Amino acid sequence: MFTEMLQFLYKRSGATAFISRCRSFSSGVACENGSSSFAVMSFGDGSQGALGLPASLIGVGADAYEPTVVPGLPDDVVSVSAGHYHSLAVSAKGELWAWGRNDEGQLGRGLLEPRHLWNEPKLVKGLANMKVQSAFASGVISAAIGDDGSLWTWGRSKRGQLGHGKGITDALMPSKVEALTGEDITKVSLGWGHVLAQTVDRKLFGWGYSADGRLGRLGEKVKASPLDSKAELPGTHEMTRSEALDIAEKHVLESMEKEKDMPIVWEPHLIEELHSVPVTDISCGLDHSLVICGDSTMLSGGSNIYGQLGRENQGLGFFPVDMSFRPLSVACGLGHSLAICATGEGNDIRKALFSWGWNGSSQLGRPGLGLESKPLVVESLAPVAVSCGRVHSVAVTDDGQLWVWGCGKNGRLGLGSSFDESEPTLVEIEDYKVVQAVAGFDHTLLLVAE
């Protein structure tokens, strides 16, 4: 994986990206041996310690408005993952480091550690005898894939995200997902309460909260979540704004209570409707899913309250996204979706970014004009990787540039301000290339190299 990262970093394909606004910051990374090394940088909401930055640098629980180096990590980090409020980093040696929120034990260091130590990156306990290949984070759990393809999860989830069996909601230390023994897992994606995992032979497994078809059908009758758009609200046109708000809040509380009785898949199950279709990429949003199949079809399932499924077909389960271009990779946020696609024909094949779904803070990077639920191109940007936060988006181009857009609150765009950006804006970090950029709910992590 370390070699692959280096190859990616120095790859050049000549793709052109536009520059609308550019702000530069000094990374402050020093290489003692004079050779290239990797560093992790963070910016955004620091209230839960997900930035990994000491109080002496930004203040206790303070936000970071510029990319800032996370201290205490080795210089051979090869990948990072951002959960809702915590962060993970994998080293070339197969070590896993974690920091941030630990209310549910997602850091793998027990529940007794004082809160003021959450922001310190520390090795995850319980994985000493395994070389970690990759790691993934959600709101309440963490997951790691071993070099043997085994999957390990830990944290606390009432919706079956751990995958350890019926009624098991806690795992304070990393525990192997036994139901996947014999499978070679290559990627995991975690939503608010559901999980998708793909294997080296391109099979797709799912488990956790299954409402709205976010896990496909799994051989069961799929139910709609009470919180989805299909839930009916009382008429509010004759009410005052305060009365309408009270009614809406009451409805949400009642719907959340009803969700306790919704179906949960407690262990990984093969998604039968895709058993004969190879899967090439997956992504879970808060409560929706995107799947790319080997025949270049993109499927979506789950909640469509913001139009994040990108299709007119409102069926519950996995159905094709309304797109004619060949999808290469996908990313889901709380209520918006991004896809890198191949466009053109013959020798004129190019990459383009498409977006759809919630655009309340310009996280689509394009004008809505009433077409938010329709996948449309983000003009003049051709990234090789994208990631979605709650209401912001980040992208990396093949020459190591970082582009950001959407909500700038808490500095989550890394542009030195709290202003929103309605179109992709370049963040230039002096002397370093961005290898990977991942968005948590309200923070962003970068893996950078000389």
Side-chain angles (χ1 to χ4, degrees), residues 122-236:
K122 294 183 179 180
L123 284 172
V124 174
K125 300 176 181 178
L127 294 171
N129 297 322
M130 182 187 70
K131 185 174 182 180
V132 175
Q133 178 175 297
S134 54
F136 309 89
S138 75
V140 293
I141 76 166
S142 300
I145 299 175
D147 56 0
D148 60 352
S150 60
L151 179 64
W152 301 68
T153 61
W154 59 99
R156 176 184 296 160
S157 174
K158 297 178 180 179
R159 303 194 179 276
Q161 264 190 310
L162 293 170
H164 296 315
K166 187 172 183 178
I168 298 179
T169 60
D170 296 87
L172 296 183
M173 300 296 289
S175 301
K176 184 178 179 181
V177 180
E178 297 293 346
L180 290 173
T181 298
E183 300 291 345
D184 191 349
I185 305 299
T186 58
K187 183 177 181 179
V188 174
S189 187
L190 304 160
W192 169 59
H194 70 294
V195 186
L196 291 178
Q198 68 182 84
T199 65
V200 69
D201 53 356
R202 298 186 176 183
K203 291 184 292 188
L204 183 63
F205 289 83
W207 64 97
Y209 189 44
S210 61
D212 310 317
R214 67 196 70 185
L215 296 178
R217 305 198 69 83
L218 285 178
E220 303 176 2
K221 182 179 180 181
V222 180
K223 297 182 180 181
S225 166
L227 285 172
D228 198 14
S229 57
K230 297 179 179 60
E232 297 182 359
L233 277 173
T236 58

Side-chain angles (χ1 to χ4, degrees), residues 6-57:
L6 288 173
Q7 291 173 342
F8 166 78
L9 176 62
Y10 293 109
K11 176 184 174 185
R12 297 288 186 270
S13 68
T16 302
F18 80 113
I19 298 179
S20 57
R21 281 149 289 184
C22 173
R23 302 184 182 114
S24 301
F25 304 102
S26 174
S27 68
V29 180
C31 301
E32 295 180 359
N33 56 11
S35 61
S36 296
S37 66
F38 289 77
V40 176
M41 308 183 80
S42 66
F43 48 89
D45 183 3
S47 62
Q48 301 285 335
L51 300 182
L53 303 175
S56 59
L57 188 60

Side-chain angles (χ1 to χ4, degrees), residues 107-395:
L107 299 187
R109 56 176 86 164
L111 296 174
L112 300 179
E113 186 177 60
R115 185 186 179 94
H116 71 273
L117 297 178
W118 287 2
N119 65 317
E120 295 182 11
K122 294 183 179 180
L123 284 172
V124 174
K125 300 176 181 178
L127 294 171
N129 297 322
M130 182 187 70
K131 185 174 182 180
V132 175
Q133 178 175 297
S134 54
F136 309 89
S138 75
V140 293
I141 76 166
S142 300
I145 299 175
D147 56 0
D148 60 352
S150 60
L151 179 64
W152 301 68
T153 61
W154 59 99
R156 176 184 296 160
S157 174
K158 297 178 180 179
R159 303 194 179 276
Q161 264 190 310
L162 293 170
H164 296 315
K166 187 172 183 178
I168 298 179
T169 60
D170 296 87
L172 296 183
M173 300 296 289
S175 301
K176 184 178 179 181
V177 180
E178 297 293 346
L180 290 173
T181 298
E183 300 291 345
D184 191 349
I185 305 299
T186 58
K187 183 177 181 179
V188 174
S189 187
L190 304 160
W192 169 59
H194 70 294
V195 186
L196 291 178
Q198 68 182 84
T199 65
V200 69
D201 53 356
R202 298 186 176 183
K203 291 184 292 188
L204 183 63
F205 289 83
W207 64 97
Y209 189 44
S210 61
D212 310 317
R214 67 196 70 185
L215 296 178
R217 305 198 69 83
L218 285 178
E220 303 176 2
K221 182 179 180 181
V222 180
K223 297 182 180 181
S225 166
L227 285 172
D228 198 14
S229 57
K230 297 179 179 60
E232 297 182 359
L233 277 173
T236 58
H237 59 283
E238 296 181 353
M239 300 180 184
T240 67
R241 184 172 182 179
S242 177
E243 290 172 336
L245 181 60
D246 289 341
I247 289 292
E249 289 180 348
K250 180 180 179 181
H251 173 77
V252 169
L253 291 174
E254 291 175 348
S255 298
M256 291 179 67
E257 188 67 25
K258 291 178 182 177
E259 278 200 310
K260 294 179 180 179
D261 299 323
M262 295 298 286
I264 292 176
V265 179
W266 289 98
E267 291 185 348
H269 281 68
L270 188 66
I271 296 181
E272 294 293 339
E273 61 202 271
L274 298 179
H275 75 279
S276 61
V277 180
V279 171
T280 60
D281 196 21
I282 55 175
S283 182
C284 293
L286 192 75
D287 48 15
H288 76 291
S289 306
L290 294 178
V291 177
I292 297 180
C293 302
D295 61 358
S296 296
T297 301
M298 187 193 309
L299 306 177
S300 63
S303 172
N304 198 33
I305 191 170
Y306 300 113
Q308 63 264 50
L309 297 187
R311 53 178 166 88
E312 292 186 6
N313 183 338
Q314 298 299 305
L316 299 180
F318 285 131
F319 294 95
V321 174
D322 297 334
M323 176 182 289
S324 59
F325 298 104
R326 178 165 62 92
L328 303 175
S329 63
V330 289
C332 297
L334 184 150
H336 72 293
S337 303
L338 301 177
I340 299 174
C341 299
T343 64
E345 298 179 356
N347 296 325
D348 189 28
I349 299 295
R350 291 169 291 174
K351 291 180 180 177
L353 178 63
F354 289 78
S355 64
W356 62 97
W358 188 21
N359 200 33
S361 296
S362 300
Q363 59 265 44
L364 296 187
R366 62 172 175 83
L369 302 178
L371 297 173
E372 289 88 348
S373 62
K374 182 178 178 60
L376 293 175
V377 71
V378 178
E379 296 292 344
S380 305
L381 186 62
V384 294
V386 290
S387 183
C388 303
R390 185 204 304 259
V391 282
H392 76 291
S393 304
V394 300

